[in-house]
Amino acid sequence: MKQWKRLCPVVVWGLLSLLPDTTAQAQQAKSIGQVTALEGEGTVLHQGKFAPEPLTLQKPVFREDIIETHRASKVRITLTDATVISLAEQSRLELKQFSHDARQQTRSGRLAISLGVFRAILKEILPSSTFEVITPTTVAAIRGTDFMGEVTADSTAIVVLEGTVAVSNVRSWFRGLSNLTPGMGTTVRSDGPPSTPTKWSESRIEGLLRATAIQ
């Protein structure tokens, strides 16, 4: 019995050594982009972590990261395919899914924005691309290259600057789809389909541009 007790720590240590090193695995995860501009302060919460980390310039970002900006703060994230996502103050973004293969001309992305103001610019539309932005009320299928949005818990407003974006309610039982072209916007509330597209005023568009502009 005494010999067994002496062996126990060795056996336990041996068993622990066989378990996967989750820290090492997290470190080996491949980044999908990085912070390329920052004004003020923000945080990023990595998958499997319990506490967010401060955002810093050149900080890599990964799939399923949750990024938040503080008051009077902005951030620009550039993904590996040169897609740019800018967040205004007090905004929240989750990088739910992203993959890009330049040789195969494929791209797949899904971003979740639960609060705030954002702008997304896609460098080019690849033939085999699927790219979506999801909010509490909206699914926006990206067929264009430059669009912006205002997101609250029960309403999302989307406007297109270049290309086209197909907008629907995140709840599939609300039938209806808005295909937005440059200068046109729609609002999707939690209790109905997208509103009839209308041409946004220059002042409204300029307001969102200022909110997301960052040096």
Side-chain angles (χ1 to χ4, degrees), residues 70-170:
H70 296 179
R71 185 181 294 276
S73 300
K74 305 176 186 179
V75 67
R76 181 191 300 139
I77 306 294
T78 303
L79 303 181
T80 54
D81 68 338
T83 290
V84 175
I85 307 144
S86 299
L87 299 178
E89 65 172 349
Q90 296 181 300
S91 299
R92 187 178 191 272
L93 162 70
E94 182 176 356
L95 302 168
K96 295 185 73 68
Q97 192 275 330
F98 179 80
S99 62
H100 172 239
D101 189 323
R103 290 195 298 179
Q104 296 295 323
Q105 291 281 290
T106 60
R107 174 205 285 144
S108 177
R110 183 178 293 113
L111 312 178
I113 298 177
S114 56
L115 184 67
V117 175
F118 72 93
R119 181 180 184 181
I121 303 174
L122 282 68
K123 184 177 181 182
E124 59 181 335
I125 303 301
L126 300 173
S128 301
S129 291
T130 58
F131 209 99
E132 291 182 337
V133 171
I134 301 171
T135 77
T137 67
T138 304
V139 176
I142 313 309
R143 299 169 185 164
T145 56
D146 192 350
F147 68 105
M148 299 184 293
E150 300 174 288
V151 182
T152 66
D154 56 7
S155 177
T156 299
I158 298 284
V159 65
V160 173
L161 302 182
E162 291 185 27
T164 60
V165 174
V167 179
S168 61
N169 195 301
V170 71

Side-chain angles (χ1 to χ4, degrees), residues 181-198:
T181 53
M184 304 297 285
T186 185
T187 298
V188 185
R189 303 189 185 280
S190 59
D191 57 354
S195 64
T196 301
T198 59

Side-chain angles (χ1 to χ4, degrees), residues 200-207 209:
W200 278 27
S201 66
E202 291 186 8
S203 61
R204 187 176 183 184
I205 292 175
E206 183 62 30
L209 288 172

